[in-house]
Amino acid sequence: MSTLFRDLLKKIGSGEHTAQNLTRAEAATAMKMMLLEEATPAQIGAFLIAHRIKRPTPEEIAGMLDAYDELGPKLQPIACERPVIVLGIPYDGRTRTAPISPVTALLLAASGQPVIMHGGDCFPTKYGVPLVDIWQGLGVDWTGLSLEKSQQVFEKTGLGFVYTPKHFPLTNSIWEYRDQLGKRPPLATMELIWCPYAGNVHIIAGFVHPPTETLFQNTLALRGMTELTTVKGLEGSCELPRDRTAIIGITRTSELDETGNIPIERLHLSPRDYGFTTKNEPLGTTEELIVNIQEVLNGKTSNFMETALWNGGFYLWRCGICSDMREGIAKAEELLTSGVITQKLEELSSNLC
């Protein structure tokens, strides 16, 4: 048993009236002790659920990310005019709506905007379809690559993937606790703004509840990171919904506001305003999803194509590739119908060999 970890656990687990927040340094220590299994299983399980009940602070999340920086992997900087985009997508996947983010990543990479994704296998608590399964269905298997090989692929294609079971194996044991607890601990929130890249970066993260967006802002400000986009997306992802107005937060300055936080400009985008129907693509089997994505890549008109254009148009505009949403949507359609994205996928697949 770790006496030090027990003291940290006592601080956050003492109840509504006497619980205390951890300092940034204490949170980093706690995270390292969990990853290195210096705390006992009982202590780790108790910490995760107590931290969820108490609710994390920006200082605590920043400290946990400090521990990830110290112990975890990072892709190294590449030559690029724009900040590299890191997409923060829930590791436990999607269960109701079909994911389009691999197509979005291909659109951006084909347009000169490097993108990094990260995640693992089919994880609790939702056990939704993971990104690696979608990529495998498209002929791109990230799971067997070393970090060095992933770096090479990233440099050549503008697309990188940090596969945590292989590249950050210290996190593997934590997933067992999530499964047994049946609830997502604050680590799941932290992962959405984790940055496994050592250069200039633009974090894009999805959220469900407004306090999470504020937590993102404040945490990244503490870490000196000011390039941020938040999306109240499908199932907590950073994919724009079509069944409602998309609620988005964007930064337009690297300067912090008077409170020391990242200033967010609110943006509301209605799919109707751009000629799209208000129907999300439902998720069937993984096999059906792959077929639907392949049809999109081949330029076939469909409900799922609308989702691809809606998301692709936004991100092409947000990254500065296009001057506005309409131009972004037109650019996305041109790339998908001309075969450029299919060629990008083939390039990606060939570089994995």
Side-chain angles (χ1 to χ4, degrees):
M1 182 192 73
S2 169
T3 302
L4 172 58
F5 193 88
R6 183 182 63 184
D7 292 339
L8 298 175
L9 174 58
K10 286 167 63 176
K11 286 190 71 172
I12 66 169
S14 295
E16 180 178 357
H17 299 293
T18 58
Q20 302 176 55
N21 297 323
L22 300 181
T23 66
R24 180 172 176 173
E26 288 173 334
T29 297
M31 187 75 256
K32 286 190 289 185
M33 294 183 74
M34 288 190 287
L35 290 173
L36 298 173
E37 298 185 76
E38 295 173 354
T40 67
Q43 288 177 320
I44 295 173
F47 184 94
L48 293 177
I49 201 66
H51 201 213
R52 174 186 169 88
I53 293 170
K54 181 190 76 68
R55 300 299 181 188
T57 66
E59 289 77 11
E60 290 171 339
I61 297 296
M64 291 179 169
L65 288 168
D66 292 343
Y68 264 46
D69 283 349
E70 181 177 340
L71 300 176
K74 280 189 182 291
L75 294 174
Q76 295 305 302
I78 62 172
C80 180
E81 295 180 359
R82 303 182 184 90
V84 168
I85 280 179
V86 176
L87 292 175
I89 298 172
Y91 281 20
D92 56 0
R94 301 267 282 278
T95 58
R96 303 187 304 276
T97 54
I100 200 66
S101 53
V103 176
T104 304
L106 288 166
L107 280 166
L108 291 172
S111 302
Q113 171 61 64
V115 179
I116 294 173
M117 308 177 92
H118 52 97
D121 299 315
C122 188
F123 284 153
T125 57
K126 287 171 61 176
Y127 294 101
V129 57
L131 289 171
V132 289
D133 283 7
I134 302 172
W135 281 114
Q136 284 176 338
L138 297 174
V140 178
D141 188 358
W142 297 102
T143 62
L145 303 186
S146 65
L147 187 65
E148 292 74 17
K149 180 62 177 179
S150 292
Q151 177 75 35
Q152 294 173 12
V153 173
F154 179 48
E155 291 172 353
K156 292 179 179 179
T157 69
L159 264 169
F161 198 103
V162 175
Y163 177 59
T164 56
K166 185 176 182 68
H167 300 153
F168 198 2
L170 289 177
T171 62
N172 291 344
S173 64
I174 297 295
W175 289 101
E176 299 176 14
Y177 295 99
R178 298 195 196 189
D179 185 27
Q180 294 174 31
L181 293 174
K183 288 291 185 179
R184 300 172 77 233
L187 298 182
T189 300
M190 178 201 74
E191 286 159 350
L192 296 176
I193 52 173
W194 177 43
C195 178
Y197 179 65
N200 191 19
V201 70
H202 176 179
I203 299 290
I204 298 179
F207 70 97
V208 175
H209 306 295
T212 302
E213 182 186 37
T214 303
L215 181 63
F216 290 162
Q217 292 174 252
N218 298 345
T219 300
L220 292 179
L222 288 172
R223 288 174 55 79
M225 303 169 70
T226 56
E227 192 77 18
L228 172 67
T229 298
T230 60
V231 179
K232 188 174 174 60
L234 293 172
E235 300 185 54
S237 74
C238 47
E239 294 184 16
L240 277 63
R242 283 172 47 216
D243 63 340
R244 56 178 168 82
T245 296
I247 301 172
I248 298 161
I250 60 177
T251 58
R252 294 190 181 276
T253 175
S254 60
E255 300 294 328
L256 301 182
D257 63 20
E258 62 276 5
T259 63
N261 296 323
I262 302 173
I264 286 285
E265 179 180 319
R266 183 63 65 218
L267 182 65
H268 296 90
L269 294 176
S270 172
R272 281 197 183 95
D273 293 343
Y274 297 89
F276 294 116
T277 58
T278 54
K279 179 185 178 184
N280 296 322
E281 180 70 14
L283 178 63
T285 65
T286 302
E287 292 74 20
E288 291 170 340
L289 172 62
I290 298 303
V291 170
N292 290 339
I293 291 178
Q294 289 171 335
E295 289 177 346
V296 167
L297 296 178
N298 289 326
K300 182 178 178 180
T301 301
S302 65
N303 182 59
F304 206 25
M305 174 61 88
E306 290 196 23
T307 297
L309 297 178
W310 180 229
N311 279 270
F314 168 72
Y315 283 111
L316 287 169
W317 165 69
R318 178 65 180 110
C319 297
I321 295 167
C322 296
S323 61
D324 56 34
M325 275 287 293
R326 296 190 188 280
E327 182 183 332
I329 292 167
K331 178 70 172 178
E333 185 172 21
E334 175 191 341
L335 291 170
L336 288 167
T337 56
S338 65
V340 170
I341 304 306
T342 301
Q343 293 172 10
K344 189 66 180 179
L345 180 62
E346 292 171 353
E347 177 196 356
L348 182 61
S349 180
S350 65
N351 274 282
L352 262 65
C353 301

